[in-house]
Amino acid sequence: MTEFPYFFFIYKYFVYLDYIMEQNEAAGNNLVEVAVNFLSNPKVKDSDLSTKKAFLKKKGLSDDQIEEAIRLAEKRVTSPTGVVPVPASRGYGFLNWAWNLAVLAGVTYYLIRWYVLPWFQGDNASPVVEQLGAVNSSLTELNGNLVLNLSKLSESTTAIQQSLAEQQSKLEHLATQVSSLQ
């Protein structure tokens, strides 16, 4: 039963890592879009390419991002509609798929180990069924003891009532004898 939480924490860590990677990729794409807008600006178009590259490098873009921005800016200029095609993101689908599979495997193992196998193997293999049997037998024993104690209490109550009735009749008899003596 201790295997399940480890899968959960590992999954949470990689989901967080995946989120960080997506944020970094989105920030990188955003920088590329800003660079494409910069390179497409009519005031900047006529300047030297090395000056543009140096400016973009100074702003924090990598060489790959600069090359991609130049390529997209050239497409924007040659595109008749003026709409830039959005590059397909490479995504992290495999990482999500792999970790979802790992979590599913962990949950499946947990369910099979603690619920399905004991059901197939019978009562002696399941600790839960053994505990339930022990609780059932102790409840049956307590019930028997309770019935026995209640019957003893009923007998005692009946005996006390009879004794009280006898004493009452003796007191009445004594009271009549005392009144006849007076």
Side-chain angles (χ1 to χ4, degrees):
M1 194 157 127
T2 59
E3 295 88 6
F4 179 70
Y6 293 122
F7 281 111
F8 178 71
F9 290 120
I10 290 170
Y11 175 74
K12 291 296 268 183
Y13 171 75
F14 279 101
V15 165
Y16 177 72
L17 181 65
D18 189 33
Y19 171 76
I20 294 296
M21 292 173 77
E22 286 175 359
Q23 292 299 319
N24 288 343
E25 183 178 315
N29 285 343
N30 190 23
L31 286 175
V32 171
E33 289 174 17
V34 170
V36 168
N37 289 336
F38 167 74
L39 293 171
S40 300
N41 189 336
K43 296 178 183 176
V44 179
K45 276 186 183 178
D46 296 332
S47 60
D48 184 25
L49 183 62
S50 60
T51 308
K52 294 178 199 175
K53 283 184 178 182
F55 178 79
L56 292 174
K57 189 124 179 119
K58 189 170 77 171
K59 291 298 179 182
L61 271 76
S62 67
D63 290 333
D64 294 335
Q65 289 174 328
I66 292 171
E67 293 301 323
E68 184 179 355
I70 290 170
R71 184 179 52 79
L72 290 174
E74 288 173 357
K75 280 186 182 179
R76 182 178 282 183
V77 170
T78 59
S79 175
T81 61
V83 177
V84 177
V86 178
S89 70
R90 59 176 205 209
Y92 296 98
F94 177 74
L95 184 64
N96 285 336
W97 180 81
W99 285 108
N100 287 336
L101 181 65
V103 168
L104 181 64
V107 169
T108 303
Y109 170 78
Y110 175 80
L111 291 174
I112 289 174
R113 169 78 167 84
W114 293 103
Y115 294 104
V116 175
L117 285 180
W119 186 65
F120 279 122
Q121 292 173 347
D123 291 342
N124 60 354
S126 173
V128 174
V129 173
E130 289 176 5
Q131 290 173 352
L132 287 175
V135 167
N136 188 20
S137 64
S138 65
L139 284 176
T140 305
E141 181 181 338
L142 282 173
N143 189 23
N145 289 340
L146 184 63
V147 168
L148 180 65
N149 288 334
L150 283 176
S151 66
K152 285 182 181 179
L153 183 63
S154 176
E155 291 172 5
S156 299
T157 305
T158 307
I160 290 173
Q161 285 176 346
Q162 287 175 354
S163 170
L164 191 59
E166 287 175 9
Q167 288 178 0
Q168 181 103 15
S169 67
K170 284 181 184 179
L171 278 175
E172 288 175 3
H173 180 61
L174 282 174
T176 56
Q177 284 180 355
V178 169
S179 63
S180 66
L181 286 178
Q182 289 178 352

